[in-house]
């Protein structure tokens, strides 16, 4: 019985995911996924930043503290940044974020990708894969906790 | 008076907008009831064009005449009288942009079977599949899913009825194949072709299709399509293998060519412009935009088959030329100073949900969303009655004016499509345009989620937006004067032509070149390709004379430009003379980069080049052709590997010089070894002529390049399927073109990304270029071979386009300061300098500031200074400083921490 209910709970678990994207590449890719009607799970909420360089580690932490089960970031491929070096900075930030999250045991809930404006299919597939991955992980330990 | 633009396709729209935006009255005459031309029918393109159409429809300076046709034209340049569907219109100049039509396909290639379709119809099928229930691509005959799809190229081109190559079909076929593969990865694709005539990005796309997507490109002679019960059998001669093969396919797409618009002959008769022997409006290599009638310009696919990118470049260029004959009579929109209403403390948020002509209303339960959004605190008004962008804009304006709304949340199509338009609506109604928050309900919700999920997601997205809107603040928008001068970098044919274009429009130009003389790469050329036999020197001399005589152009040679600061409308730079410490400071509002390409790649060692004196390059060979040619066997080798890119003129140059050699010395054996002959457009006849005159073309495979040993060239010819040996007196290598040395430096200075060393245009939609001369740095334009090594006519059209875009900007008296820049909170700033080090454009400076008087209990601290960061004019709003500042002193306006946190609070 007990097992069954947990299984059922797992099946019904719909993760909440927050994504940060840059305006020029990944946000455009998400638009392209839309124009080509590529369906993907509804679990992610996207926050548009102009450039990946604006990704502040605090944003990621805040999202997790708010109870997000997963957080992702995606920007232009390295070398294709609209603001020249933005995504290099973002890469360094991401490494820093990971170090912090590792200490909290949350680093598997933070993913980063490079998706360019023409990769609508990749965006949709990434959303599918990510949602599955976070489902596997189950609800965030911080979910529902007021911190 | 004004200017008449005939044809409302992408070319006509572009010309009309450039003119109207710089204050000219435009009469846009379109025979159909709608704007857009053929692009409206293309799957991937329609969306990209829609904001431009919306702009035309609402432009105060454009008199839009739909369902109208030109009936009569009289008068001369400066004073034309037009009769348009019964209306009389007086204009000073005319731009013709009537576009193209596709050929009638005879009952060959199985055409007539429902599963054999022409590409334009296939684009329609792709669009239909997008919105259909299942989203699948199905066969017209039985509605079954397509599993094997074939494309046949060159249908109705390069044939008896139409000798020339249609230029666009190789690339659009690649794009269609890409779209199919992206969306239906399981569909197998076979493309039957003779040559793959693509350049630059399209070349990369074809490589990707072959390597990554597994699309099979099959080189074959005209295949036969045999429709049989439930299948199409394609019978073809596989040139690579030399065998006759059969392939069963579900559907076949015929990549039809582009022909002159059916209306063109009548239009030519009415206007008196000459057409060429293929039926296109006649223009020339050295005046690609001028027709035979002064005052009448032409652009787009009415002059030759071409892609959108080239069509719009011509259109902008033609607009500039037409403007030169006309008087500015209209105010420039957006120049009036906005007075924004005072926004008090009380939040009054208005939410506008647009149905987007059913696109949103079909998958989202809008009434349910409205009900939940209305309950949110601070939301005082919700409107969901609008169905088009125009209606939504009207609703927003009246919401601000009549209801006193002071925060606007707009939910509809992607902000990437319409944010500027919605901002303008807010500003027009007196609300600071940054009190607006956009929700992407169409692209990122309605189109990607099932109905139930979509409604839930829509509610969440709106909650996030309403919360964020609370924290939005008025961003002061200041106006600054535009400096009515331009800087043109590069004094080659493109740079000189751009300089003349801008100067003729009435602005001062600084034209700089690193060389001692004007003329650039063309100085190395002799006779230009083609039957015209024009001499490069004559073309150059005419331009140089015009430039030197023009009082508005200041020419600086042997100089380098340095230290560029500022932004669109107001730049500063230093011009430093070679070997001198002195410099000149110049100011300018716009910049055109025309640094050209280098032809000096040395194929050192390849075929013994450099050691063997009978091995030379095409550029040297062209010069030899001017003199006596004593070589009886000549082998020209195309696609010599090396750094750089294959120029668009590369094949033309090879074929032209082979033909000229043969004409000069009819007994000579002239061989051309090649992978693809890319004589696009009308240049195809040169190729045909060369073959007819006996030039022998041998095709080799990239994997088996020709070899040269002991004076013998051996090549494995994939058409004869045999190794062929030639003992040439002369070997001529066609080498890649290389980017100008200055590009790296200019790229950093102007923040314009490079691709393979050449400048990149502002990216638009993934596979379409609507702004080929604009860059990510507003106010900086690129043209000519600095973008992609191109033929003279293309360089001229493109440089006129760059001049036109620059003039649109220079015509303005004022521009507004960018809103999304960083600001520092001086009190918190500890002067650590992290931001200064990280800013990619060096916009931050640490300055010494006096610390205000502070009193601690009884002691008062005075007279101290501290270091604080100051954000200067150059800030491009990347936000690096804001996320790196350890004391949170730096914030990026519109993306402040609290604004993002607000979204986060409702995201989970
Ligand atoms: C199947 C297919 C796919 C393509 N895909 C791509 C692609 O992916 N990328 C790309 O760059 N290019 C592509 N092209 C090429 C592209 O369509 C053209 O480059 C572009 O549309 C040309 O624009 P235009 O304004 O010159 O002509 P058009 O689009 O033909 O517009 C001409 C307009 O003028 C109007 N008109 C004609 N005669 C008159 C008259 N007498 N009076 C008033 N109005 C008149 C017409 O009604 C029409 O609206 C494709 C072409 C085809 C056939
Ligand atoms: S070779 Fe020319 S005519 Fe043939 S498909 Fe390519 S672009 Fe079209
Ligand atoms: S936002 Fe970017 S460009 Fe602007 S000052 Fe900060 S780091 Fe420099």
């Amino acid at each position: 019985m007990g097992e069954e209910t947990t299984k059922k709970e797992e099946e019904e678990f719909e993760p909440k995911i927050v994504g940060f994207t840059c305006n020029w590449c990944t946000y455009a890719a998400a638009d392209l996924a839309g124009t080509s009607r590529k369906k993907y799970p509804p679990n992610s909420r996207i926050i548009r930043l102009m450039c990946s360089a604006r990704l502040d580690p605090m944003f990621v932490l805040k999202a997790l503290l708010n109870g997000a089960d997963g957080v992702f970031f995606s920007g232009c491929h390295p070398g294709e940044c609209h603001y020249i070096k933005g995504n290099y900075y973002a890469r360094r930030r991401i490494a820093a974020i990971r170090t912090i999250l590792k200490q909290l045991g949350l680093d598997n809930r933070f993913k980063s990708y490079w998706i360019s404006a023409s990769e609508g299919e990749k965006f949709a597939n990434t959303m599918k894969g990510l949602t599955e991955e976070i489902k596997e992980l189950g609800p965030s330990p911080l979910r529902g906790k007021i911190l | 008076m004004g200017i008449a633009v005939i044809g409302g396709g992408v070319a006509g729209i572009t010309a009309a907008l450039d003119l109207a935006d710089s204050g000219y009255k435009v009469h846009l005459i379109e025979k159909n009831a709608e704007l857009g031309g053929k692009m409206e029918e293309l799957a991937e393109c329609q969306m990209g064009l829609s904001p431009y159409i919306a702009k035309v429809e609402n432009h105060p300076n454009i008199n839009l005449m739909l369902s109208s046709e030109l009936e009569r034209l009289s008068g001369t340049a400066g004073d034309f009288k037009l009769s348009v569907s019964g209306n009389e219109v007086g204009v000073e100049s005319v731009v013709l942009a009537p576009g193209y039509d596709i050929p009638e396909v005879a009952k060959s290639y199985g055409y007539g079977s429902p599963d054999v379709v022409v590409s334009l119809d296939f684009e329609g099928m792709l669009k239909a599949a997008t919105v259909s229930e299942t989203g699948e691509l199905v066969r017209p005959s039985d509605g079954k899913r397509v599993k094997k799809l074939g494309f046949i190229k060159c249908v109705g081109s390069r044939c008896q009825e139409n000798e020339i190559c249609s230029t666009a079909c190789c690339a659009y076929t690649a794009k269609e194949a890409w779209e199919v593969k992206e969306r239906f990865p399981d569909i197998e694709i076979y493309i039957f072709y003779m040559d793959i005539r693509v350049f630059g990005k399209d070349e990369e796309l074809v490589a990707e299709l072959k390597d990554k997507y597994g699309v099979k490109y099959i080189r074959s002679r005209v295949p036969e399509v045999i429709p049989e019960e439930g299948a199409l059998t394609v019978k073809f001669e596989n040139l690579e293998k030399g065998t006759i093969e059969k392939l069963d396919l579900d559907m076949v797409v015929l990549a039809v060519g582009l022909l002159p618009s059916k209306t063109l002959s009548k239009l030519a008769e009415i206007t008196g412009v000459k057409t060429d022997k293929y039926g296109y409006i006649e223009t020339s290599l050295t005046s690609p935009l001028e027709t035979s009638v002064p005052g009448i310009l032409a652009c787009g696919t009415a002059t030759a088959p071409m892609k959108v990118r080239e069509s719009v470049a011509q259109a902008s260029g033609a607009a500039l030329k037409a403007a030169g004959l006309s008087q500015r009579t209209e105010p420039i929109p957006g120049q009036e100073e906005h007075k924004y209403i005072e926004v008090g403390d009380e939040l009054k948020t208005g939410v506008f949900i647009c149905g987007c002509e059913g696109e949103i209303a079909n998958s989202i339960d809008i009434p349910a969303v409205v009900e939940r959004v209305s309950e949110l605190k601070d939301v005082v008004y919700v409107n969901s009655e609008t169905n088009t962008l125009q209606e939504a804009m009207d609703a927003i304006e009246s919401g601000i004016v009549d209801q006193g709304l002071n925060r606007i949340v707009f939910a509809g199509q992607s902000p990437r499509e319409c944010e500027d338009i919605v901002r303008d609506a807010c500003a027009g109604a007196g609300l600071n345009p940054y009190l607006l928050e956009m929700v992407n309900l169409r692209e990122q919700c309605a189109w990607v989620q099932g109905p139930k999920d979509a409604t839930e997601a829509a509610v969440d997205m709106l909650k996030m937006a309403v919360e964020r809107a609370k924290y939005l603040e008025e961003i002061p928008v200041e106006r600054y004067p535009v400096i009515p001068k331009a800087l043109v970098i590069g004094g080659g044919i493109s740079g000189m032509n751009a300089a003349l274009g801008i100067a003729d429009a009435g602005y001062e130009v600084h034209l700089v070149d690193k060389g001692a003389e004007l003329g650039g790469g063309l100085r190395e050329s002799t006779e230009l390709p083609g039957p015209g036999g024009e001499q490069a020197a004559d073309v150059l001399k005419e331009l140089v004379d015009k430039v030197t005589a023009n009082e508005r152009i200041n020419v600086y040679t042997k100089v380098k430009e340095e230290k560029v600061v500022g932004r669109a409308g107001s730049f500063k730079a230093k011009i430093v003379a070679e070997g001198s410490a002195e410099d000149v400071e110049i100011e300018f509002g716009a910049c055109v980069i025309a640094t050209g390409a280098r032809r000096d790649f040395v194929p050192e060692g390849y075929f013994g080049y450099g050691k063997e004196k009978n091995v030379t390059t095409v550029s040297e060979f062209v010069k030899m052709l001017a003199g006596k040619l004593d070589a009886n066997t000549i082998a020209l080798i195309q696609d010599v590997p090396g750094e750089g890119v294959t120029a668009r003129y590369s094949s033309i140059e090879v074929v032209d010089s082979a033909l000229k050699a043969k004409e000069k010395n009819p007994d000579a054996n002239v061989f051309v070894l090649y992978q693809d002959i890319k004589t696009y457009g009308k240049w195809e006849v040169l190729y045909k002529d060369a073959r007819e005159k006996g030039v022998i073309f041998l095709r080799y495979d990239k994997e088996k390049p020709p070899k040269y040993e002991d004076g013998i060239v051996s090549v494995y010819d994939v058409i004869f399927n045999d190794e062929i040996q030639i003992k040439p007196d002369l070997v001529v290598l066609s080498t890649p073109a290389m980017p100008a040395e200055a590009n790296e430096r200019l790229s950093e200075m102007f923040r314009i990304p490079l691709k393979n060393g050449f400048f990149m245009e502002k990216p638009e939609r993934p596979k379409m270029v609507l702004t080929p001369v604009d860059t990510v740095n507003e106010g900086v334009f690129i043209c000519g071979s600095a973008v992609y090594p191109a033929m003279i006519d293309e360089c001229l059209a493109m440089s006129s386009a760059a001049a036109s875009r620059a003039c649109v900007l220079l015509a303005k008296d004022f521009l507004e300061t960018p809103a999304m820049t960083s600001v520092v909170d001086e009190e918190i700033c500890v002067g650590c300098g992290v931001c200064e080090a990280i800013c990619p454009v060096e916009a931050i400076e640490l300055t010494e500031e006096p610390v205000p008087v502070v009193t601690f209990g009884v002691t008062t601290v005075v007279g101290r200074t501290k270091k604080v960061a100051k954000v200067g004019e150059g800030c491009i709003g990347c936000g690096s400083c804001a996320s790196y500042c350890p004391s949170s002193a730096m914030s990026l306006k519109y993306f402040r921490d609290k604004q993002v946190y607000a979204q986060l609070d409702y995201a989970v």
Side-chain angles (χ1 to χ4, degrees):
Chain A
M1 260 289 271
E3 249 183 358
E4 245 176 34
T5 35
T6 17
K7 210 173 165 199
K8 205 161 171 228
E9 259 172 31
E10 248 170 45
E11 262 172 23
E12 283 172 1
F13 166 57
E14 284 297 341
K16 295 251 179 197
I17 302 170
V18 178
F20 297 92
T21 73
C22 78
N23 180 52
W24 307 98
C25 293
T26 307
Y27 194 85
D31 276 359
L32 180 62
T35 357
S36 17
R37 312 300 199 274
K38 284 277 158 201
K39 300 269 189 280
Y40 54 83
N43 305 61
S44 297
R45 295 288 159 265
I46 288 175
I47 293 180
R48 176 170 69 130
L49 303 173
M50 276 299 150
C51 176
S52 41
R54 181 66 188 99
L55 182 72
D56 194 318
M58 284 308 292
F59 294 170
V60 177
L61 285 177
K62 169 93 174 150
L64 288 167
L65 292 176
N66 278 4
D69 302 302
V71 178
F72 78 91
F73 161 77
S74 179
C76 311
H77 289 270
E80 286 178 11
C81 176
H82 196 90
Y83 299 88
I84 311 175
K85 292 187 222 159
N87 50 13
Y88 284 108
Y89 292 155
R91 265 212 297 212
R92 275 156 57 182
R93 301 258 86 177
I94 287 162
I97 295 169
R98 275 209 192 292
T99 334
I100 307 170
L101 293 182
K102 267 209 181 100
Q103 285 166 359
L104 300 170
L106 291 170
D107 63 310
N108 54 356
R109 294 186 182 272
F110 174 61
K111 312 276 170 199
S112 64
Y113 313 99
W114 310 111
I115 304 177
S116 75
S118 63
E119 298 175 319
E121 171 87 10
K122 180 170 170 190
F123 179 82
N125 288 339
T126 305
M127 290 304 103
K128 284 182 207 154
L130 172 69
T131 312
E132 279 314 305
E133 264 182 79
I134 304 291
K135 268 190 188 169
E136 293 274 301
L137 288 178
S140 159
L142 300 183
R143 215 188 221 222
K145 286 197 186 143
I146 315 278
L147 289 162
Chain B
M1 279 197 283
I3 296 140
V5 176
I6 301 183
V10 67
I13 288 174
T14 305
L17 282 176
D18 269 9
L19 287 165
D21 280 347
S22 29
Y24 294 90
K25 178 85 206 166
V26 179
H27 306 275
L28 179 54
I29 303 160
E30 165 59 53
K31 75 171 167 44
N32 291 343
E34 271 170 44
L35 286 176
K38 292 291 185 303
M39 262 179 75
E40 280 297 286
E41 298 174 37
L42 307 182
E44 146 72 11
C45 303
Q46 184 198 12
M47 295 286 208
L49 196 61
S50 58
Y52 293 81
I53 294 182
K55 203 173 161 197
V56 168
E57 286 170 345
N58 295 302
H59 209 297
N61 299 348
I62 299 181
N63 169 28
L64 186 53
M65 307 175 86
L66 292 172
S67 308
S68 303
E69 262 179 274
L70 180 67
E71 287 153 350
R72 253 192 336 274
L73 176 140
S74 60
T76 50
D79 187 15
F80 287 113
K81 296 239 164 350
L82 276 61
S83 153
V84 182
S85 295
N87 298 307
E88 299 295 318
V89 181
V91 295
E92 288 132 322
S93 51
V94 178
V95 176
L96 299 179
Y100 69 97
D101 273 309
I102 60 167
E104 307 272 333
V105 182
K107 284 233 176 317
S108 44
Y109 305 105
Y111 194 62
S113 153
D115 298 331
V116 179
V117 299
V118 295
S119 45
L120 215 48
D121 294 337
F122 182 64
E123 297 265 350
M125 289 177 66
L126 278 175
K127 285 212 292 188
T130 306
V131 293
S132 73
E133 279 294 298
T134 58
E136 295 292 349
L137 184 66
V138 295
R139 300 210 312 180
S141 63
D142 55 10
K144 282 205 188 116
R145 272 182 51 202
V146 175
K147 290 191 212 92
K148 286 173 139 193
L149 178 64
F151 287 87
I152 300 178
K153 290 214 283 196
C154 299
V155 174
S157 313
R158 304 177 67 184
C159 58
Q160 232 165 9
E161 301 79 44
N162 176 28
E163 281 182 310
I164 68 175
C165 155
S166 291
T167 317
C169 22
C170 271
Y172 81 59
T173 300
K175 176 211 66 181
E176 286 170 3
W178 168 80
E179 205 177 330
V180 171
K181 272 296 188 188
E182 264 285 301
R183 292 172 49 193
F184 316 103
D186 300 340
I187 297 182
E188 286 173 36
I189 297 183
Y190 302 88
I191 299 179
F192 301 93
Y193 73 102
M194 294 202 280
D195 294 274
I196 307 180
R197 294 186 170 166
V198 288
F199 301 91
K201 263 195 205 158
D202 294 329
E203 225 168 337
E204 285 167 25
L205 179 63
V206 169
E208 216 178 293
L209 285 174
K210 290 180 181 171
D211 305 338
K212 187 176 137 198
Y213 291 92
V215 170
K216 304 228 167 36
Y217 270 84
I218 302 173
R219 190 169 261 167
S220 80
R221 275 193 230 284
V222 189
E224 205 183 326
V225 184
I226 310 149
E228 269 163 352
E229 282 295 293
L232 297 168
T233 306
V234 180
K235 211 167 122 191
F236 61 98
E237 185 185 344
N238 188 326
L239 289 176
E240 246 117 272
K241 297 192 190 131
T243 49
I244 303 284
E245 287 179 32
K246 275 188 190 170
L247 197 63
D248 284 343
L249 299 175
D250 300 317
M251 196 169 126
V252 168
V253 180
L254 306 178
V256 288
L258 282 62
L259 292 183
S261 159
K262 285 179 191 142
T263 68
L264 194 51
S265 55
K266 190 174 151 211
L267 202 56
E269 210 173 285
I270 296 172
T271 55
V273 303
K274 274 200 202 132
T275 51
D276 63 17
K277 63 175 171 178
Y278 315 107
Y280 290 99
I281 299 174
E282 190 176 272
T283 56
S284 75
L285 190 59
T286 49
S287 10
L289 309 169
E290 285 89 352
T291 69
S292 58
V293 179
I296 304 187
L297 291 310
C299 59
T301 46
T303 67
M306 61 182 81
K307 292 186 63 192
V308 170
R309 172 197 201 106
E310 287 77 32
S311 303
V312 295
Q314 284 203 346
S316 277
L320 179 81
K321 305 241 163 191
L325 300 163
S326 181
Q327 291 298 322
R328 256 207 263 161
T329 53
E330 310 300 312
I332 294 173
Q335 288 285 282
E336 58 287 348
E337 196 169 8
H338 287 297
K339 281 258 177 304
Y340 297 128
I341 43 174
E342 293 279 328
V343 174
D345 289 339
E346 191 196 348
L347 277 174
K348 284 179 139 192
T349 306
V351 178
F352 295 81
I353 304 172
C354 183
C356 281
E357 298 175 58
E359 296 296 344
I360 289 177
N362 285 348
S363 27
I364 294 176
D365 182 353
I366 294 183
V369 175
V370 171
E371 202 183 309
R372 301 204 10 223
V373 170
S374 312
E375 288 163 4
L376 297 173
K377 198 169 164 277
D378 305 317
V379 171
V380 297
Y381 178 70
V382 183
N383 177 311
S384 63
E385 266 88 72
T386 64
N387 222 357
T388 64
L389 195 54
Q390 191 52 50
E391 287 170 17
M393 294 313 96
D394 294 343
I396 289 176
E397 285 183 32
S398 64
I400 294 168
V401 176
D402 303 336
Q403 326 239 1
L405 300 176
N406 58 23
R407 294 291 185 285
I408 301 295
V409 171
F410 175 73
Q413 46 184 289
S414 168
R416 289 178 53 88
E417 300 277 334
C418 66
E419 195 164 32
D420 289 344
I421 298 176
V422 189
R423 284 234 164 89
D424 285 348
C426 293
L431 185 69
N432 186 292
Y434 297 92
L435 296 172
L436 163 75
E437 174 64 9
M438 304 281 292
V439 183
N440 192 340
L441 272 200
R442 192 177 72 179
E443 278 82 348
Q444 296 186 9
C445 185
W447 280 348
V448 289
Q449 261 125 50
K452 196 173 145 280
D453 289 340
T455 303
E456 275 309 307
V459 172
D460 282 0
M461 287 164 84
L462 273 152
K463 280 186 187 163
M464 284 166 71
V466 167
E467 187 65 13
R468 177 176 146 95
K470 276 187 200 170
Y471 295 92
L472 292 177
E473 34 186 32
E474 299 157 89
I475 303 182
V477 190
E478 278 158 34
R479 303 200 310 165
Y480 59 94
V482 172
I483 300 167
K485 295 178 189 172
L487 167 66
V488 176
I489 303 177
I493 183 168
S494 299
M496 284 194 288
N497 187 49
L500 280 170
I502 299 170
D504 287 344
Y507 307 103
E508 197 181 319
V509 181
H510 303 286
L511 175 63
V512 301
D513 198 291
K514 67 171 176 29
E517 263 176 77
L518 292 175
L522 208 56
R523 277 190 304 151
E524 301 295 315
S525 295
T526 46
E527 190 178 302
L528 299 179
E534 284 146 300
Q535 293 295 320
D538 299 339
V539 178
L540 275 183
K541 185 169 180 308
E542 202 189 319
L543 273 174
V544 174
D545 287 350
K546 275 195 199 159
V547 167
T548 356
N550 197 310
E551 284 175 359
R552 295 200 190 98
I553 305 179
N554 312 311
V555 179
Y556 307 80
T557 47
K558 286 182 108 169
V559 292
K560 204 163 106 179
E561 50 300 315
E562 272 181 7
K563 300 220 169 70
V564 175
V565 290
R567 61 166 72 101
S570 178
F571 290 104
K572 258 194 214 129
K574 286 200 161 62
I575 296 182
V576 189
E578 198 179 282
S580 146
E582 279 180 37
D583 53 33
V584 188
E585 190 167 276
I586 55 162
E587 292 189 327
F588 51 99
C591 174
V592 174
I593 300 181
T595 47
R598 284 190 296 137
R599 309 269 333 253
D600 55 0
F601 174 78
V602 185
E604 199 57 64
Y606 191 83
F607 271 44
Y609 182 89
K611 276 195 235 72
E612 314 226 1
K613 64 177 189 333
N614 65 333
V615 181
T616 181
T617 61
V618 178
S619 14
E620 292 158 26
F621 182 56
V622 171
K623 280 181 226 161
M624 284 173 158
L625 285 171
K628 204 163 122 326
L629 181 71
D630 40 40
N632 279 320
T633 304
I634 305 167
L636 292 106
I637 322 252
Q638 223 187 258
D639 303 314
V640 168
E643 300 162 51
V645 300
T646 311
R648 264 174 77 94
Y649 52 70
S650 168
S651 280
I652 298 169
E653 198 179 34
V654 167
V655 174
D656 182 68
S657 53
L659 182 62
K660 281 181 180 149
K662 190 78 189 169
E663 278 166 353
K664 213 169 172 97
N665 197 349
D667 296 332
N669 299 308
V670 182
F671 296 91
V672 175
L673 279 57
Y674 70 103
Q675 290 175 36
D676 286 287
I677 291 285
K678 300 185 181 177
T679 42
Y680 62 88
K682 297 173 197 169
W683 297 108
E684 176 70 6
V685 290
L686 213 58
Y687 181 29
K688 192 170 164 240
D689 205 17
R691 277 175 308 182
E692 281 169 5
K693 297 243 164 76
V695 174
I696 299 163
F697 287 84
L698 301 173
R699 173 175 257 157
Y700 69 89
D701 204 77
K702 197 175 179 180
E703 269 72 57
K704 286 190 208 152
K707 282 200 262 332
Y708 188 54
E709 270 164 13
D710 307 325
I712 291 177
V713 174
S714 34
V715 57
Y716 190 87
D717 179 276
V718 292
I719 296 177
F720 296 113
N721 270 304
D722 211 348
E723 178 154 302
I724 290 169
Q725 297 197 324
I726 306 162
K727 194 168 186 310
D729 309 320
L730 191 63
V731 176
V732 183
L733 305 176
S734 165
T735 52
M738 298 206 294
E741 270 154 12
N743 289 8
E744 292 270 343
R745 194 170 53 83
L746 292 172
S747 156
E748 286 219 348
M749 216 153 64
F750 284 103
R751 304 190 312 274
I752 302 166
L754 298 175
K755 184 132 201 174
N756 300 321
F758 294 90
F759 290 100
M760 262 170 80
E761 72 279 335
K762 184 172 162 186
E764 201 96 19
R765 306 191 70 76
K767 294 280 178 280
M768 193 184 57
V769 181
L770 276 172
T771 49
V773 299
D774 290 42
T775 67
V776 291
N777 191 357
E778 205 196 329
V780 183
F781 305 92
I782 49 178
C783 64
S785 294
V787 183
Y788 198 84
M791 209 59 195
I792 299 158
D793 50 351
E794 208 177 310
C795 288
L796 287 170
M798 231 181 149
S799 47
S800 292
S804 180
R805 303 291 303 148
C807 288
V808 168
L809 199 151
L810 298 178
K812 296 184 174 151
D813 293 327
F814 297 99
L815 282 176
E816 290 180 344
T817 50
M820 291 173 214
T821 54
S822 280
V823 276
V824 69
D825 185 332
E826 291 187 9
E827 268 182 36
I828 312 176
C829 175
V830 294
C832 68
V834 167
C835 55
E836 187 192 26
I838 203 147
C839 175
V841 294
E842 289 163 31
I844 301 178
E845 235 182 312
L846 284 189
T847 56
E848 205 75 36
E849 293 287 320
V851 179
V853 181
V854 197
T855 313
F856 299 105
V858 285
T859 29
T860 303
V861 186
V862 271
R864 209 162 53 88
T865 60
K866 76 163 188 172
K867 279 205 162 109
V868 291
K870 278 252 174 342
V871 181
E873 275 202 349
C875 173
I876 53 172
C878 69
S880 305
C881 53
S883 38
Y884 268 79
C885 174
S887 19
S888 298
M890 197 60 92
S891 8
L892 177 62
K893 284 182 260 175
Y894 205 66
F895 292 94
R896 287 188 191 264
D897 289 352
K898 59 181 181 203
Q899 294 163 343
V900 177
Y901 291 165
Q903 278 170 295
L904 281 174
D905 283 341
Y906 282 78
V908 286

